[in-house]
mmCIF file of all heavy atoms in Angstrom:
data_model
loop_
_atom_site.group_PDB
_atom_site.id
_atom_site.type_symbol
_atom_site.label_atom_id
_atom_site.label_comp_id
_atom_site.label_asym_id
_atom_site.label_seq_id
_atom_site.Cartn_x
_atom_site.Cartn_y
_atom_site.Cartn_z
ATOM 1 N N VAL A 173 54.349 19.595 -0.622
ATOM 2 C CA VAL A 173 53.209 18.682 -0.770
ATOM 3 C C VAL A 173 52.027 19.527 -1.308
ATOM 4 O O VAL A 173 51.827 20.673 -0.917
ATOM 5 C CB VAL A 173 52.809 18.003 0.576
ATOM 6 C CG1 VAL A 173 52.428 19.026 1.635
ATOM 7 C CG2 VAL A 173 51.695 17.008 0.379
ATOM 8 N N LEU A 174 51.303 18.964 -2.265
ATOM 9 C CA LEU A 174 50.166 19.642 -2.864
ATOM 10 C C LEU A 174 48.951 18.735 -2.878
ATOM 11 O O LEU A 174 49.048 17.529 -2.939
ATOM 12 C CB LEU A 174 50.497 20.043 -4.305
ATOM 13 C CG LEU A 174 51.550 21.108 -4.513
ATOM 14 C CD1 LEU A 174 52.890 20.430 -4.886
ATOM 15 C CD2 LEU A 174 51.174 22.140 -5.592
ATOM 16 N N TRP A 175 47.750 19.354 -2.828
ATOM 17 C CA TRP A 175 46.522 18.647 -2.868
ATOM 18 C C TRP A 175 45.395 19.638 -3.262
ATOM 19 O O TRP A 175 45.607 20.849 -3.281
ATOM 20 C CB TRP A 175 46.220 17.983 -1.538
ATOM 21 C CG TRP A 175 45.836 18.921 -0.442
ATOM 22 C CD1 TRP A 175 44.583 19.186 0.021
ATOM 23 C CD2 TRP A 175 46.718 19.737 0.372
ATOM 24 N NE1 TRP A 175 44.627 20.118 1.057
ATOM 25 C CE2 TRP A 175 45.900 20.439 1.274
ATOM 26 C CE3 TRP A 175 48.116 19.931 0.371
ATOM 27 C CZ2 TRP A 175 46.445 21.358 2.208
ATOM 28 C CZ3 TRP A 175 48.639 20.802 1.293
ATOM 29 C CH2 TRP A 175 47.841 21.491 2.197
ATOM 30 N N THR A 176 44.206 19.109 -3.550
ATOM 31 C CA THR A 176 43.078 19.907 -3.977
ATOM 32 C C THR A 176 41.988 19.913 -2.908
ATOM 33 O O THR A 176 41.679 18.846 -2.358
ATOM 34 C CB THR A 176 42.499 19.426 -5.293
ATOM 35 O OG1 THR A 176 43.459 19.568 -6.329
ATOM 36 C CG2 THR A 176 41.221 20.173 -5.688
ATOM 37 N N VAL A 177 41.406 21.059 -2.667
ATOM 38 C CA VAL A 177 40.200 21.188 -1.850
ATOM 39 C C VAL A 177 39.090 21.745 -2.772
ATOM 40 O O VAL A 177 39.300 22.767 -3.441
ATOM 41 C CB VAL A 177 40.402 22.121 -0.647
ATOM 42 C CG1 VAL A 177 39.110 22.223 0.159
ATOM 43 C CG2 VAL A 177 41.516 21.600 0.261
ATOM 44 N N MET A 178 37.941 21.070 -2.761
ATOM 45 C CA MET A 178 36.844 21.525 -3.613
ATOM 46 C C MET A 178 35.828 22.275 -2.829
ATOM 47 O O MET A 178 35.398 21.834 -1.740
ATOM 48 C CB MET A 178 36.162 20.292 -4.293
ATOM 49 C CG MET A 178 35.303 20.627 -5.450
ATOM 50 S SD MET A 178 34.986 19.188 -6.532
ATOM 51 C CE MET A 178 34.093 18.111 -5.437
ATOM 52 N N ASP A 179 35.445 23.468 -3.303
ATOM 53 C CA ASP A 179 34.476 24.296 -2.556
ATOM 54 C C ASP A 179 33.055 23.841 -2.842
ATOM 55 O O ASP A 179 32.802 22.920 -3.602
ATOM 56 C CB ASP A 179 34.726 25.776 -2.838
ATOM 57 C CG ASP A 179 34.364 26.189 -4.283
ATOM 58 O OD1 ASP A 179 33.624 25.469 -4.966
ATOM 59 O OD2 ASP A 179 34.844 27.289 -4.690
ATOM 60 N N LYS A 180 32.085 24.555 -2.272
ATOM 61 C CA LYS A 180 30.679 24.153 -2.371
ATOM 62 C C LYS A 180 30.133 24.319 -3.791
ATOM 63 O O LYS A 180 29.115 23.714 -4.129
ATOM 64 C CB LYS A 180 29.839 24.967 -1.422
ATOM 65 C CG LYS A 180 29.803 26.484 -1.711
ATOM 66 C CD LYS A 180 28.945 27.180 -0.679
ATOM 67 C CE LYS A 180 28.914 28.698 -0.979
ATOM 68 N NZ LYS A 180 28.031 29.414 0.007
ATOM 69 N N ASN A 181 30.836 25.046 -4.646
ATOM 70 C CA ASN A 181 30.421 25.180 -6.029
ATOM 71 C C ASN A 181 31.221 24.207 -6.955
ATOM 72 O O ASN A 181 31.200 24.394 -8.172
ATOM 73 C CB ASN A 181 30.691 26.652 -6.497
ATOM 74 C CG ASN A 181 29.786 27.638 -5.808
ATOM 75 O OD1 ASN A 181 28.595 27.368 -5.627
ATOM 76 N ND2 ASN A 181 30.334 28.749 -5.393
ATOM 77 N N TYR A 182 31.895 23.287 -6.372
ATOM 78 C CA TYR A 182 32.661 22.251 -7.071
ATOM 79 C C TYR A 182 33.848 22.824 -7.888
ATOM 80 O O TYR A 182 34.202 22.284 -8.895
ATOM 81 C CB TYR A 182 31.739 21.391 -7.956
ATOM 82 C CG TYR A 182 30.893 20.460 -7.124
ATOM 83 C CD1 TYR A 182 29.782 20.886 -6.437
ATOM 84 C CD2 TYR A 182 31.256 19.112 -7.035
ATOM 85 C CE1 TYR A 182 29.014 19.996 -5.623
ATOM 86 C CE2 TYR A 182 30.520 18.233 -6.239
ATOM 87 C CZ TYR A 182 29.402 18.678 -5.547
ATOM 88 O OH TYR A 182 28.692 17.858 -4.766
ATOM 89 N N VAL A 183 34.379 23.921 -7.370
ATOM 90 C CA VAL A 183 35.588 24.472 -7.948
ATOM 91 C C VAL A 183 36.753 23.976 -7.119
ATOM 92 O O VAL A 183 36.791 24.090 -5.907
ATOM 93 C CB VAL A 183 35.567 26.027 -7.929
ATOM 94 C CG1 VAL A 183 36.887 26.588 -8.418
ATOM 95 C CG2 VAL A 183 34.414 26.529 -8.820
ATOM 96 N N GLY A 184 37.757 23.398 -7.796
ATOM 97 C CA GLY A 184 38.902 22.810 -7.140
ATOM 98 C C GLY A 184 40.029 23.851 -6.922
ATOM 99 O O GLY A 184 40.487 24.416 -7.877
ATOM 100 N N ARG A 185 40.424 24.032 -5.692
ATOM 101 C CA ARG A 185 41.519 24.979 -5.347
ATOM 102 C C ARG A 185 42.741 24.120 -4.990
ATOM 103 O O ARG A 185 42.672 23.218 -4.139
ATOM 104 C CB ARG A 185 41.116 25.822 -4.164
ATOM 105 C CG ARG A 185 39.884 26.679 -4.437
ATOM 106 C CD ARG A 185 40.236 27.912 -5.222
ATOM 107 N NE ARG A 185 39.050 28.763 -5.377
ATOM 108 C CZ ARG A 185 38.498 29.104 -6.529
ATOM 109 N NH1 ARG A 185 38.991 28.631 -7.654
ATOM 110 N NH2 ARG A 185 37.453 29.878 -6.593
ATOM 111 N N LEU A 186 43.886 24.439 -5.546
ATOM 112 C CA LEU A 186 45.104 23.760 -5.298
ATOM 113 C C LEU A 186 45.814 24.433 -4.111
ATOM 114 O O LEU A 186 45.936 25.658 -4.068
ATOM 115 C CB LEU A 186 45.990 23.778 -6.538
ATOM 116 C CG LEU A 186 47.102 22.744 -6.659
ATOM 117 C CD1 LEU A 186 46.539 21.335 -6.586
ATOM 118 C CD2 LEU A 186 47.880 22.957 -7.931
ATOM 119 N N TYR A 187 46.295 23.613 -3.165
ATOM 120 C CA TYR A 187 47.008 24.131 -2.026
ATOM 121 C C TYR A 187 48.412 23.465 -1.948
ATOM 122 O O TYR A 187 48.596 22.322 -2.361
ATOM 123 C CB TYR A 187 46.271 23.883 -0.724
ATOM 124 C CG TYR A 187 45.073 24.820 -0.605
ATOM 125 C CD1 TYR A 187 43.834 24.408 -1.090
ATOM 126 C CD2 TYR A 187 45.197 26.077 -0.052
ATOM 127 C CE1 TYR A 187 42.735 25.282 -0.989
ATOM 128 C CE2 TYR A 187 44.103 26.924 0.063
ATOM 129 C CZ TYR A 187 42.878 26.515 -0.425
ATOM 130 O OH TYR A 187 41.788 27.369 -0.324
ATOM 131 N N GLU A 188 49.355 24.193 -1.346
ATOM 132 C CA GLU A 188 50.727 23.711 -1.255
ATOM 133 C C GLU A 188 51.250 24.073 0.121
ATOM 134 O O GLU A 188 50.968 25.135 0.695
ATOM 135 C CB GLU A 188 51.597 24.344 -2.343
ATOM 136 C CG GLU A 188 53.074 23.923 -2.281
ATOM 137 C CD GLU A 188 53.917 24.629 -3.312
ATOM 138 O OE1 GLU A 188 53.570 25.743 -3.743
ATOM 139 O OE2 GLU A 188 54.968 24.103 -3.652
ATOM 140 N N MET A 189 52.080 23.159 0.667
ATOM 141 C CA MET A 189 52.891 23.445 1.850
ATOM 142 C C MET A 189 54.348 23.109 1.515
ATOM 143 O O MET A 189 54.613 22.154 0.780
ATOM 144 C CB MET A 189 52.429 22.619 3.056
ATOM 145 C CG MET A 189 51.021 22.943 3.487
ATOM 146 S SD MET A 189 50.415 21.763 4.767
ATOM 147 C CE MET A 189 51.447 22.250 6.191
ATOM 148 N N THR A 190 55.264 23.902 1.976
ATOM 149 C CA THR A 190 56.677 23.681 1.687
ATOM 150 C C THR A 190 57.392 23.440 3.009
ATOM 151 O O THR A 190 57.052 23.971 4.077
ATOM 152 C CB THR A 190 57.335 24.847 0.955
ATOM 153 O OG1 THR A 190 57.147 26.038 1.726
ATOM 154 C CG2 THR A 190 56.696 25.031 -0.396
ATOM 155 N N TYR A 191 58.472 22.620 2.941
ATOM 156 C CA TYR A 191 59.263 22.232 4.164
ATOM 157 C C TYR A 191 60.629 22.901 4.101
ATOM 158 O O TYR A 191 61.387 22.715 3.101
ATOM 159 C CB TYR A 191 59.381 20.710 4.202
ATOM 160 C CG TYR A 191 59.980 20.232 5.508
ATOM 161 C CD1 TYR A 191 59.200 20.189 6.666
ATOM 162 C CD2 TYR A 191 61.285 19.785 5.552
ATOM 163 C CE1 TYR A 191 59.722 19.675 7.857
ATOM 164 C CE2 TYR A 191 61.828 19.303 6.740
ATOM 165 C CZ TYR A 191 61.030 19.264 7.893
ATOM 166 O OH TYR A 191 61.557 18.821 9.069
ATOM 167 N N SER A 192 60.952 23.648 5.115
ATOM 168 C CA SER A 192 62.206 24.353 5.136
ATOM 169 C C SER A 192 62.641 24.595 6.583
ATOM 170 O O SER A 192 61.762 24.922 7.435
ATOM 171 C CB SER A 192 62.115 25.667 4.393
ATOM 172 O OG SER A 192 63.318 26.396 4.418
ATOM 173 N N ASN A 193 63.929 24.411 6.852
ATOM 174 C CA ASN A 193 64.468 24.638 8.224
ATOM 175 C C ASN A 193 63.710 23.895 9.309
ATOM 176 O O ASN A 193 63.415 24.432 10.385
ATOM 177 C CB ASN A 193 64.477 26.148 8.508
ATOM 178 C CG ASN A 193 65.338 26.961 7.569
ATOM 179 O OD1 ASN A 193 66.426 26.492 7.176
ATOM 180 N ND2 ASN A 193 64.883 28.106 7.166
ATOM 181 N N GLY A 194 63.317 22.667 8.975
ATOM 182 C CA GLY A 194 62.686 21.803 9.974
ATOM 183 C C GLY A 194 61.231 22.099 10.248
ATOM 184 O O GLY A 194 60.663 21.594 11.260
ATOM 185 N N ALA A 195 60.570 22.867 9.361
ATOM 186 C CA ALA A 195 59.178 23.230 9.618
ATOM 187 C C ALA A 195 58.402 23.323 8.299
ATOM 188 O O ALA A 195 58.966 23.662 7.258
ATOM 189 C CB ALA A 195 59.035 24.482 10.424
ATOM 190 N N TRP A 196 57.100 23.059 8.383
ATOM 191 C CA TRP A 196 56.201 23.202 7.233
ATOM 192 C C TRP A 196 55.599 24.591 7.209
ATOM 193 O O TRP A 196 55.243 25.108 8.262
ATOM 194 C CB TRP A 196 55.084 22.143 7.271
ATOM 195 C CG TRP A 196 55.490 20.764 6.886
ATOM 196 C CD1 TRP A 196 55.767 19.752 7.727
ATOM 197 C CD2 TRP A 196 55.676 20.267 5.561
ATOM 198 N NE1 TRP A 196 56.121 18.603 7.017
ATOM 199 C CE2 TRP A 196 56.058 18.938 5.685
ATOM 200 C CE3 TRP A 196 55.565 20.836 4.268
ATOM 201 C CZ2 TRP A 196 56.331 18.118 4.579
ATOM 202 C CZ3 TRP A 196 55.818 20.023 3.187
ATOM 203 C CH2 TRP A 196 56.174 18.664 3.324
ATOM 204 N N SER A 197 55.437 25.162 6.022
ATOM 205 C CA SER A 197 54.703 26.420 5.889
ATOM 206 C C SER A 197 53.205 26.196 6.021
ATOM 207 O O SER A 197 52.738 25.060 6.039
ATOM 208 C CB SER A 197 55.004 27.023 4.538
ATOM 209 O OG SER A 197 54.449 26.216 3.478
ATOM 210 N N LYS A 198 52.483 27.257 6.150
ATOM 211 C CA LYS A 198 51.014 27.153 6.199
ATOM 212 C C LYS A 198 50.508 26.865 4.768
ATOM 213 O O LYS A 198 51.095 27.232 3.793
ATOM 214 C CB LYS A 198 50.400 28.475 6.698
ATOM 215 C CG LYS A 198 50.691 28.734 8.150
ATOM 216 C CD LYS A 198 50.015 30.041 8.599
ATOM 217 C CE LYS A 198 50.267 30.297 10.054
ATOM 218 N NZ LYS A 198 49.621 31.570 10.509
ATOM 219 N N PRO A 199 49.359 26.165 4.643
ATOM 220 C CA PRO A 199 48.790 25.910 3.322
ATOM 221 C C PRO A 199 48.503 27.198 2.563
ATOM 222 O O PRO A 199 47.926 28.164 3.148
ATOM 223 C CB PRO A 199 47.476 25.168 3.612
ATOM 224 C CG PRO A 199 47.712 24.570 5.007
ATOM 225 C CD PRO A 199 48.526 25.566 5.726
ATOM 226 N N ALA A 200 48.900 27.237 1.298
ATOM 227 C CA ALA A 200 48.647 28.418 0.464
ATOM 228 C C ALA A 200 48.569 27.977 -0.996
ATOM 229 O O ALA A 200 49.108 26.918 -1.355
ATOM 230 C CB ALA A 200 49.752 29.464 0.631
ATOM 231 N N MET A 201 47.915 28.744 -1.831
ATOM 232 C CA MET A 201 47.842 28.432 -3.243
ATOM 233 C C MET A 201 49.257 28.568 -3.851
ATOM 234 O O MET A 201 49.954 29.536 -3.554
ATOM 235 C CB MET A 201 46.882 29.330 -3.957
ATOM 236 C CG MET A 201 45.382 29.105 -3.617
ATOM 237 S SD MET A 201 44.292 30.304 -4.446
ATOM 238 C CE MET A 201 44.699 30.015 -6.129
ATOM 239 N N PRO A 202 49.691 27.611 -4.704
ATOM 240 C CA PRO A 202 50.977 27.791 -5.340
ATOM 241 C C PRO A 202 50.952 28.987 -6.264
ATOM 242 O O PRO A 202 49.949 29.429 -6.753
ATOM 243 C CB PRO A 202 51.156 26.463 -6.111
ATOM 244 C CG PRO A 202 49.780 25.921 -6.280
ATOM 245 C CD PRO A 202 49.016 26.383 -5.076
ATOM 246 N N SER A 203 52.151 29.528 -6.541
ATOM 247 C CA SER A 203 52.241 30.796 -7.282
ATOM 248 C C SER A 203 51.656 30.726 -8.676
ATOM 249 O O SER A 203 51.222 31.760 -9.223
ATOM 250 C CB SER A 203 53.713 31.234 -7.332
ATOM 251 O OG SER A 203 54.477 30.260 -8.021
ATOM 252 N N PHE A 204 51.631 29.559 -9.304
ATOM 253 C CA PHE A 204 51.081 29.451 -10.686
ATOM 254 C C PHE A 204 49.596 29.332 -10.746
ATOM 255 O O PHE A 204 49.013 29.427 -11.838
ATOM 256 C CB PHE A 204 51.746 28.256 -11.405
ATOM 257 C CG PHE A 204 51.381 26.927 -10.821
ATOM 258 C CD1 PHE A 204 50.164 26.301 -11.135
ATOM 259 C CD2 PHE A 204 52.245 26.302 -9.935
ATOM 260 C CE1 PHE A 204 49.843 25.077 -10.553
ATOM 261 C CE2 PHE A 204 51.957 25.054 -9.379
ATOM 262 C CZ PHE A 204 50.722 24.448 -9.684
ATOM 263 N N ALA A 205 48.897 29.156 -9.621
ATOM 264 C CA ALA A 205 47.436 28.940 -9.617
ATOM 265 C C ALA A 205 46.703 30.257 -9.443
ATOM 266 O O ALA A 205 47.214 31.227 -8.906
ATOM 267 C CB ALA A 205 47.064 28.004 -8.485
ATOM 268 N N ASP A 206 45.469 30.273 -9.982
ATOM 269 C CA ASP A 206 44.612 31.462 -9.805
ATOM 270 C C ASP A 206 43.345 31.048 -9.052
ATOM 271 O O ASP A 206 43.188 29.891 -8.655
ATOM 272 C CB ASP A 206 44.286 32.079 -11.144
ATOM 273 C CG ASP A 206 43.574 31.113 -12.093
ATOM 274 O OD1 ASP A 206 42.690 30.358 -11.664
ATOM 275 O OD2 ASP A 206 43.888 31.153 -13.319
ATOM 276 N N THR A 207 42.440 31.987 -8.871
ATOM 277 C CA THR A 207 41.222 31.725 -8.130
ATOM 278 C C THR A 207 40.033 31.469 -9.053
ATOM 279 O O THR A 207 38.897 31.375 -8.587
ATOM 280 C CB THR A 207 40.884 32.888 -7.215
ATOM 281 O OG1 THR A 207 40.725 34.093 -7.988
ATOM 282 C CG2 THR A 207 41.965 33.091 -6.151
ATOM 283 N N VAL A 208 40.279 31.380 -10.373
ATOM 284 C CA VAL A 208 39.197 31.225 -11.347
ATOM 285 C C VAL A 208 39.096 29.770 -11.823
ATOM 286 O O VAL A 208 38.003 29.225 -11.923
ATOM 287 C CB VAL A 208 39.420 32.191 -12.502
ATOM 288 C CG1 VAL A 208 38.313 31.964 -13.548
ATOM 289 C CG2 VAL A 208 39.435 33.604 -12.033
ATOM 290 N N SER A 209 40.210 29.183 -12.186
ATOM 291 C CA SER A 209 40.217 27.865 -12.824
ATOM 292 C C SER A 209 40.139 26.743 -11.800
ATOM 293 O O SER A 209 40.542 26.889 -10.647
ATOM 294 C CB SER A 209 41.496 27.696 -13.665
ATOM 295 O OG SER A 209 41.638 28.741 -14.588
ATOM 296 N N ASN A 210 39.617 25.591 -12.269
ATOM 297 C CA ASN A 210 39.670 24.378 -11.447
ATOM 298 C C ASN A 210 41.056 23.779 -11.506
ATOM 299 O O ASN A 210 41.702 23.776 -12.540
ATOM 300 C CB ASN A 210 38.678 23.343 -12.002
ATOM 301 C CG ASN A 210 37.268 23.556 -11.440
ATOM 302 O OD1 ASN A 210 37.022 23.394 -10.258
ATOM 303 N ND2 ASN A 210 36.362 23.909 -12.319
ATOM 304 N N TYR A 211 41.515 23.222 -10.409
ATOM 305 C CA TYR A 211 42.799 22.499 -10.352
ATOM 306 C C TYR A 211 42.612 21.186 -9.622
ATOM 307 O O TYR A 211 42.074 21.130 -8.516
ATOM 308 C CB TYR A 211 43.850 23.310 -9.624
ATOM 309 C CG TYR A 211 44.221 24.607 -10.287
ATOM 310 C CD1 TYR A 211 43.488 25.786 -10.064
ATOM 311 C CD2 TYR A 211 45.260 24.683 -11.215
ATOM 312 C CE1 TYR A 211 43.811 26.957 -10.625
ATOM 313 C CE2 TYR A 211 45.586 25.883 -11.810
ATOM 314 C CZ TYR A 211 44.861 27.007 -11.556
ATOM 315 O OH TYR A 211 45.179 28.225 -12.189
#
Side-chain angles (χ1 to χ4, degrees):
V173 61
L174 294 99
W175 73 100
T176 295
V177 178
M178 195 160 64
D179 68 19
K180 64 181 180 179
N181 295 316
Y182 286 78
V183 175
R185 301 280 185 241
L186 200 58
Y187 287 91
E188 179 184 25
M189 296 172 69
T190 57
Y191 190 75
S192 179
N193 298 320
W196 285 100
S197 66
K198 292 182 179 180
M201 291 176 58
S203 59
F204 64 82
D206 59 40
T207 59
V208 177
S209 306
N210 275 294
Y211 295 88

